Amino acid sequence: MVLAKEILNPEGMVLCGAGTALTPALIERLIGMDIVDVTVEGHPVILEGEKTLQEELHEIDVRFQRVEDIAPLMYLKKRIQAKLAAARNTEAAAK
Amino acid sequence: MDEQKRAQFKKVLREIKNLPTLPGIVAKLGKMAEDPDTTTEQMGRVISKDHILASKLLKLVNSAFYGFPQRISSLNSAIILLGFNVIKSLIISASIFEVMEAQDVELWEHSLGCAVVCNVLARHLGVKDPEEISTAGLIHDIGKVAIKMELPREYEKITELSQEKKISRLEAEREILGLDHSEVGSWLAKSWNLPNKLVEPIACHHDPHLAKEEQQASAIVHFANIMIRGLGYGHAGDIWVPPLNNKAWKLLALAPADIDPLLREVEEKLWDVKGFSLDIQTGQEGAA
């Protein structure tokens, strides 16, 4: 897994830059520093109860179903769905 | 709608008893901000008298929610860097945060998300004091909280009607109460003596074309509400993305090429604010 965002300590100092690969040793050190969450690239971990891509795309369709005649909102929907699919495909490619 | 009934609901909601009032310090700071002779030190002294408020203010200033690039560690530097008006709107946010967070977590998440989108949009559009627009986004649905607290029975009826008839919460409110949360929110904001820059976006977030003075701020909150609903972040009472007002869309003048970068920035910031709470007992700054 690769860091998508830098890790900062509570004082705002950068501990680890974006793009750093997370090795077991580095993860151990971060735990030692009380870092409880980090942002990584793609979608490498499927959490329990997480929806499938198809389910999420369908939910987006439902949310936008009453504004189908409004072109800018249909474009917004298309981009939200494309972003979601791209993130999930990165995950599939990583496997 | 029975006119008498509408007047009755209006009376109950106008007399709001269950929502806490804003701390007196907000009014005091408002007066100080208008006085050109007020110094940074004087203002800092007034805020620091309330230790909890001062800690919350610094925590809020340094959170991803407002996204200032550098860390701000003292009240005086916060006032100098951000200016009186921004500090005032931060204090309002800090005070309202608790009320909303305690009432309805999902609505709270929707409001927090809306505030994040407002901030991203305001910065993109080069608006002066984007923090004020964030505050407007944060409290745009305060009327829903007021209806829930003052008219709990009607609140339940609104939920049922919206689900039964598959209509938006806004339509259900209008049907049951003869008024809606944006109107209620604007009364509340006026009763707190909030500036028009906050009152109008609250009043007009579903009908931004009705804004008289704060058209841009109203248009930003209107579209931020649409975007955050589209992203499915939090829950605002029904699942549907509300319609886009044409006049507001023209005013924002966003190009298709703007959407992807805006979405990317919003999603990053939403990650950063996830789980953000002003509970200073559990926060890092609590010990300071």
Side-chain angles (χ1 to χ4, degrees), chain B residues 159-175:
Chain B
T159 307
E160 282 164 23
L161 184 71
S162 157
Q163 284 166 356
E164 253 172 49
K165 283 195 174 177
K166 296 202 186 313
I167 54 173
S168 71
R169 190 157 190 102
L170 183 81
E171 290 167 293
E173 284 170 352
R174 286 174 180 166
E175 215 171 306

Side-chain angles (χ1 to χ4, degrees), chain B residues 83-268:
Chain B
F84 291 170
N85 280 336
V86 173
I87 290 292
K88 198 179 150 196
S89 76
L90 287 173
I91 290 177
I92 294 164
S93 306
S95 314
I96 297 174
F97 237 93
E98 284 176 289
V99 183
M100 291 194 72
E101 200 178 1
Q103 271 304 309
D104 185 333
V105 175
E106 286 191 314
L107 178 63
W108 170 240
E109 274 181 0
H110 163 73
S111 306
L112 195 61
C114 183
V116 166
V117 184
C118 281
N119 195 273
V120 171
L121 282 172
R123 285 176 196 277
H124 174 84
L125 297 167
V127 173
K128 192 175 158 271
D129 292 342
E131 296 73 29
E132 282 189 294
I133 315 270
S134 302
T135 305
L138 183 74
I139 59 178
H140 76 284
D141 270 346
I142 190 79
K144 285 185 185 161
V145 181
I147 295 171
K148 188 176 181 183
M149 292 179 85
E150 300 297 323
L151 297 167
R153 271 184 46 213
E154 283 74 16
Y155 184 86
E156 285 306 316
K157 276 191 207 163
I158 291 165
T159 307
E160 282 164 23
L161 184 71
S162 157
Q163 284 166 356
E164 253 172 49
K165 283 195 174 177
K166 296 202 186 313
I167 54 173
S168 71
R169 190 157 190 102
L170 183 81
E171 290 167 293
E173 284 170 352
R174 286 174 180 166
E175 215 171 306
I176 301 234
L177 303 175
L179 39 87
D180 63 56
H181 65 272
S182 47
E183 198 178 348
V184 177
S186 74
W187 301 335
L188 198 57
K190 274 183 203 154
S191 77
W192 283 339
N193 289 321
L194 299 186
N196 203 32
K197 206 167 183 179
L198 298 179
V199 176
E200 258 198 347
I202 295 173
C204 307
H205 70 270
H206 285 289
D207 305 294
H209 59 287
L210 299 178
K212 291 189 179 78
E213 289 168 24
E214 302 298 339
Q215 287 152 342
Q216 193 185 34
S218 303
I220 293 175
V221 177
H222 171 71
F223 188 59
N225 183 40
I226 288 176
M227 253 178 113
I228 202 69
R229 276 166 165 263
L231 286 165
Y233 190 88
H235 187 67
D238 64 65
I239 56 165
W240 300 294
V241 170
L244 174 70
N245 180 274
N246 206 19
K247 197 177 160 195
W249 182 243
K250 280 193 180 141
L251 188 87
L252 293 173
L254 292 172
D258 294 326
I259 299 296
D260 273 1
L262 285 172
L263 282 173
R264 198 174 312 125
E265 201 180 332
V266 164
E267 283 194 347
E268 268 181 30

